[in-house]
Amino acid sequence: MYKLFWAEGTASFAPHAVLEEAGVAYELAVVDFAAGEQRSPAYLAVNPLGKVPALVLPDGGVLTEAAAICLFLGERLQLTHLVPALDDPLRGRFLQDLFYLSTTLQEAYKRVYYPRRFSSDPADAPRIQARAREALMECWQAVERHLAAEGPFHLGDRFSLLDLYTTMLATWFTPQDELFGACPGVAACHREVAQRPAVARCLSRQRQVSVGTS
Ligand SMILES: N[C@@H](CCC(=O)N[C@@H](CS)C(=O)NCC(=O)O)C(=O)O
């Protein structure tokens, strides 16, 4: 069975949604960030980077990096509704957008949420954060241009992993209305994705944890 190490509001959302979309048996192992569990010896034995997500495979191997886990599961479980096959004409566009989302847009959030990691002088943090927010919105505008022109999904009428990943990244933006007001194409994509039963289950799991019922 797969075992996903997960924490609320993190990059573990996308692999969680892929597992739900796949309908396979899996175990969700909650990593308690409030207690610093991601840096505990037990968790570092799973992922020495001290980050989530981490996926333990049925053969005992461990994968990290959210996009890699999603791509791996999509291919291993033959989820062609999420990941275009190797010979699919949309495969190139799919890879381009997945790498953009996971390496450029996702990274832009780090400077917003952890500005102190980007200067040795703590006094720089407000300026780093202010510029980081602009840079993050520039990334979202690039996604918006594409979705507005060719949406509702990244691959046109065809839902895919890209849209799950976009929903995860959109949930990190606060206030969310600001993102959705500036990027109606992103908002429309998110609305469609959030209605999918598998995704709704993942979103509701986040809410359960945030109100302390799990
Ligand atoms: N590039 C990695 C990023 C993983 C990552 O930074 N995860 C964050 C949560 S979104 C984390 O576990 N942070 C814990 C920490 O820095 O202590 C991925 O996409 O999986």
Side-chain angles (χ1 to χ4, degrees), residues 59-158:
D59 69 5
V62 178
L63 281 182
T64 63
E65 290 301 318
I69 293 172
C70 292
L71 195 53
F72 171 86
L73 286 172
E75 294 182 341
R76 176 60 60 91
L77 302 173
Q78 299 184 329
L79 308 172
T80 47
H81 74 293
L82 292 184
V83 174
L86 290 182
D87 59 354
D88 191 305
L90 289 172
R91 175 82 178 181
R93 175 78 213 201
F94 169 83
L95 288 176
Q96 173 194 298
D97 287 3
L98 183 61
F99 279 70
Y100 181 79
L101 293 172
S102 59
T103 64
T104 304
L105 208 164
Q106 187 173 329
E107 273 303 300
Y109 274 102
K110 285 222 172 103
R111 292 189 295 281
V112 174
Y113 286 120
Y114 306 106
R116 284 184 177 75
R117 293 184 186 173
F118 295 87
S119 170
S120 51
D121 184 351
D124 289 337
R127 283 195 307 274
I128 291 172
Q129 197 168 43
R131 174 61 198 130
R133 243 188 117 79
E134 289 170 6
L136 176 62
M137 196 44 109
E138 286 161 17
C139 290
W140 274 116
Q141 289 294 355
V143 175
E144 172 62 20
R145 281 193 295 278
H146 174 62
L147 289 175
E150 295 181 41
F153 300 116
H154 282 267
L155 302 181
D157 290 335
R158 188 169 153 189

Side-chain angles (χ1 to χ4, degrees), residues 132-181:
R133 243 188 117 79
E134 289 170 6
L136 176 62
M137 196 44 109
E138 286 161 17
C139 290
W140 274 116
Q141 289 294 355
V143 175
E144 172 62 20
R145 281 193 295 278
H146 174 62
L147 289 175
E150 295 181 41
F153 300 116
H154 282 267
L155 302 181
D157 290 335
R158 188 169 153 189
F159 165 76
S160 73
L161 167 60
L162 299 170
D163 310 300
L164 286 182
Y165 217 91
T166 298
T167 276
M168 174 180 82
L169 296 172
T171 62
W172 295 353
F173 198 99
T174 51
Q176 207 158 58
D177 286 352
E178 185 184 325
L179 173 66
F180 291 157

